[in-house]
Amino acid sequence: MTDIEKVVTSIDPVVFSIFQDKLHILLVERNKEPYVGKSAIPGGVVIPSIDRTLESAVSRVLKEKTGIKINYVEQIKTIGSASIDPRSWTVCVAYFALVEYQNVTVPNAKWVSIDDLKNHDFGFEHHKIVISDAIERLTNKVNYSTLPVELMQEEFTLPELQKIYEIILGEKLDKSSFRKKMLENKILEDTGKLIKKGAFRPAAVYKKLKNEPVLFNKNIFKI
Amino acid sequence: MTDIEKVVTSIDPVVFSIFQDKLHILLVERNKEPYVGKSAIPGGVVIPSIDRTLESAVSRVLKEKTGIKINYVEQIKTIGSASIDPRSWTVCVAYFALVEYQNVTVPNAKWVSIDDLKNHDFGFEHHKIVISDAIERLTNKVNYSTLPVELMQEEFTLPELQKIYEIILGEKLDKSSFRKKMLENKILEDTGKLIKKGAFRPAAVYKKLKNEPVLFNKNIFKI
DNA sequence: CCAATAGTGTCTATGAGACATTATAGT
DNA sequence: ACTATAATGTCTCATAGACACTATTGG
């Protein structure tokens, strides 16, 4: 196993959060070569002497680059080529991560709405692909799983959760169907609490029971 | 980008075929250290000076190790750690591949029925995990896609295809539902030919229209 | 009592799954 | 005519989706 055969391995996590009724992605502005000043996924390189496994490398990179508590991480896919990074033959392992916006306290990072992505200049060409793959995977999963629960705070109401689904999917959902789907899978627990938000009936407060998303039988519950 | 940060990247393809009414996996017997004589996935290492991309590395490895025409390849997942390979910190990119048994002409490789896997001694611990992940992914996809078409020869009958589904899923399927599902997606074309197999009505011969599997609406069509 | 949102009840069209029936070959 | 498999037709039950209805708050 000669050094000739070794390559650089980078971790590219696409970090999602929802606020201001928009799906946002966390980006950084590159402060070293190549592509100084351009936008980039907040990634990092696997350091064999530090990282025991790929997972621990992901944890380290996310901690260093975002400082955020991560609610959910999932590997998307791996790409690799001589041209990804001008410096070296590179393998990129892409992830997507869901976080709560409230937890973010990183000066270097910036949240970008997915509608604004087109206005950003990415140095690394493959970052565009990775981001669009991540968005595709997210919207796909939203159609048939309880994944968006991982975007919520510890406690939340069903109308709030429905809003999150609607933002990601970009369409209105039927309230009745939505509630049936969410409650028939036993992943939410009614805390018994109520929350008053205005001059109308207060909403019941739920919290997560499991921390793994559950798949639905069928795809969608459109209006 | 120092050499300190580089790691070995291996390609681990789980190659499936069906014959003798069993799902089989292609294995090799290791002929060099470590783990000489043990069973292994027919994998290989990415060679930056030869391989332009990860995909071309996969093609090269599959060609070298199996010599088979590959009907379908899909990336499963990537693992990486200091302990996967005793020689070096290694990243393993796992794939699953579907081939036609008839095409195999490799002396070093051996087909093993998935029921016989337990009798095989794998040097690399992670190969067991990769194989079980691949089997899981395959059975999953069989439930909601036309993927098994990629296990067929150019021309085949619907009863033959149904048999393949039944072998992978390990259960009988309803003929009527199966035909409806297969024909409502426009991926098969009736060649107009008939094939006679015995003292009964001959079966219509179909061939693939597309070479990408199609997803069903719902999961399964059990008896 | 009104407006606004939360939450429940009901109806219908669809389609998967189960099963019955017909078609076509060889002996 | 009989047998075995191919292929099609039909029926039923579950349920997703649509929509109407009730509940609860503040003003």
Side-chain angles (χ1 to χ4, degrees), chain A residues 34-99:
Chain A
Y35 310 124
V36 169
K38 307 264 183 175
S39 293
I41 293 173
V45 164
V46 171
I47 303 173
S49 57
I50 296 180
D51 305 312
R52 232 171 34 83
T53 68
L54 211 51
E55 286 78 43
S56 42
V58 174
S59 302
R60 178 182 56 75
V61 167
L62 281 170
K63 198 170 177 185
E64 284 174 10
K65 294 268 182 167
T66 73
I68 325 172
K69 175 195 159 225
I70 306 296
N71 287 10
Y72 181 82
V73 193
E74 175 179 315
Q75 194 180 289
I76 300 176
K77 71 169 183 183
T78 301
I79 58 177
S81 84
S83 53
I84 281 178
D85 189 310
R87 292 165 291 178
S88 166
W89 214 108
T90 302
V91 167
C92 291
V93 190
Y95 292 83
F96 87 78
L98 304 184
V99 307

Side-chain angles (χ1 to χ4, degrees), chain A residues 149 152-158 186-193 204-210:
Chain A
V149 169
M152 307 304 286
Q153 297 176 262
E154 194 51 41
E155 300 196 335
F156 54 90
T157 70
L158 285 181
K186 301 295 182 189
I187 54 145
L188 300 185
E189 187 181 41
D190 192 335
T191 63
K193 294 183 216 167
V205 176
Y206 289 82
K207 62 176 186 178
K208 312 174 202 178
L209 270 179
K210 308 176 182 178

